[in-house]
Amino acid sequence: MNTDKTLLKRQLAAAVAALDAYFNSIFFPLLTAAVILCCYYMGWDMFSIWYIGISGTLILLTCRNVLPLLSLLLFLNIFISRINTPAPMNGHEPSDYYMQPWVLVNIIVAISIFVVTAVLRTVYAARRGAVKPDGMFVGIAVFAVALTVNGLFAADYDAMNLLFGFLLGLTFVVAYLIAAGGIKIERDSFVKVALYFVLFSAVLVVELVVAYLTYDNLIVDGEVIRNNLRFGWGTYNNMGMFLNICIPAAYYLAIKLKYGAPFSLYGIVLLAASFLTMSRQAMLGGTIATVACMIWQLFATRGGERATFAIIYSCLFCAIFIGLGTMNEQLSKFFASFYSELDSGSGRTEIWDDGIKNFLAFPLFGSGFFAETLESANLQDGINFLPPMYHDTIVQILASCGLFGIAAYAVHRIQTIISYFKNITRERTLIALMLATFLIVCLLDNYIFYIMPTFTYVFLVVLLKKSEGKDTESAPKRRDFIVKN
């Protein structure tokens, strides 16, 4: 009997080790990208849900380092297909797929299994001392409280303020606890993070190219009708934001990998794709991110490598200026939608004015997320749980959460800046650039409050925090990718 138990334990340990090795290999994010992309076009949303749910649960159960969860969190943003989307698509009525009882039951079961496993994993990590109430966590917890009490004492207080604020605050706290308790900084951790984002961006680029090739009435008389550039999981603005935050990852791999130079060119591809989304905020964010990354790359390389990149970028910019000069008329027509409502930012200035008025009316805790705002502010068609947004992080917090909210957010923001400067490395600069790009785009939108991007944001913050006192170049290693010596 003892022999059988010993054998069973060995087999179980071998299975756990095999799953750990698989999830921490390049094959897992590659397969995830392929699965999500195929299911998107086949309309197999339920398969995607269970793939993400089961994979996430197994990562929590078998992996010493839960960093691979980040790959799943990225793809969780974009798994909803055009066939089953609850939002109207190019004149087609919204699908009721996600309102069907069997679909809702499957989603609840999948989420419940993952949540229970995540709670058990976090409790286990806390008992082992892996989860500590550090300053960063306290800052996030206070911000979560500010989100929860949004609109307190405001006239016509809506109960949805409490529900949405609590769930949003809970997302910040839970994501931090899961990441802080399970992520371990290893020598190849940041290469993995960069590869997760690059593979994620590759799926986005494919979907964007397919949209241009197959969408009806997307290009009319040489002009892109950007309102028709919608995906099952979001609009052209969402696509642009995701592409933007992936740009630093491409340049980090160009710097870090032994044969990573092609990733520099891929960074240019991501910038071009950002422009093709016709999202003005993505054009701005992508341009800032690309220029910053190019400067970073030139400083991070040496000798002939630096000269090579300098020559390549100089030639590239010359080619761009020549192209703009020779194709000015065609490009102006192609990007005509870019110029529409440019002075008001598609109505954003009115929305911001409305937000400031709501703040001044109830300055302490704000007027709440579900206060009276312009209906045009809500870009989440078909998803009524999300409140209308002010399309600016600062205005949103002021209007919805008041002085308490903006003070809590300011403390959190200062904590992340101080954290970066405690230990400036290439790896931590990657995280800082992705966070900065995300926050820049959020000055024209509110992705940080859209629940799923919130998870990704918090995971990046945890990576920044956990690497404060580590030399990421010589951190403990397990299965290294090929990097420069």
Side-chain angles (χ1 to χ4, degrees), residues 240-313:
M241 179 273 292
F242 287 131
L243 287 168
N244 282 181
I245 62 175
C246 293
I247 290 173
Y251 284 93
Y252 172 76
L253 292 178
I255 296 170
K256 183 72 174 178
L257 295 185
K258 191 172 184 179
Y259 302 104
F263 284 103
S264 296
L265 298 178
Y266 184 65
I268 301 299
V269 171
L270 293 181
L271 176 61
S274 298
F275 271 75
L276 288 176
T277 64
M278 297 297 157
S279 168
R280 289 187 283 259
Q281 62 201 41
M283 294 177 187
L284 175 63
T287 300
I288 293 174
T290 301
V291 172
C293 286
M294 286 180 174
I295 295 172
W296 176 39
Q297 185 179 31
L298 291 177
F299 276 101
T301 52
R302 297 186 298 271
E305 190 177 17
R306 177 184 295 178
T308 300
F309 283 124
I311 293 171
I312 291 174
Y313 293 146

Side-chain angles (χ1 to χ4, degrees), residues 412-423:
H412 169 62
R413 188 79 295 121
I414 292 170
Q415 286 178 320
T416 56
I417 294 171
I418 292 174
S419 174
Y420 171 67
F421 283 103
K422 282 184 177 180
N423 181 20

Side-chain angles (χ1 to χ4, degrees), residues 46 49-50 52-54 56-58 60-61 76 103-121 174 178 455:
M46 192 52 61
I49 291 169
W50 277 108
I52 293 172
I54 292 173
T57 301
L58 289 175
L60 291 170
L61 289 174
L76 192 57
V103 173
L104 291 173
V105 169
N106 272 271
I107 292 174
I108 292 172
V109 171
I111 292 175
S112 299
I113 293 173
F114 175 81
V115 169
V116 170
T117 308
V119 170
L120 293 175
R121 172 72 186 246
V174 169
I178 293 173
F455 275 100

Side-chain angles (χ1 to χ4, degrees), residues 127-149:
R127 287 183 176 180
R128 293 174 62 89
V131 179
K132 300 177 181 178
D134 54 39
M136 189 74 78
F137 172 71
V138 172
I140 282 183
V142 172
F143 184 49
V145 172
L147 292 172
T148 302
V149 299

Side-chain angles (χ1 to χ4, degrees), residues 378-393:
N378 188 2
L379 300 182
Q380 301 299 306
D381 297 323
I383 307 176
N384 295 322
F385 174 74
L386 292 177
M389 294 285 184
Y390 294 98
H391 302 302
D392 178 273
T393 305

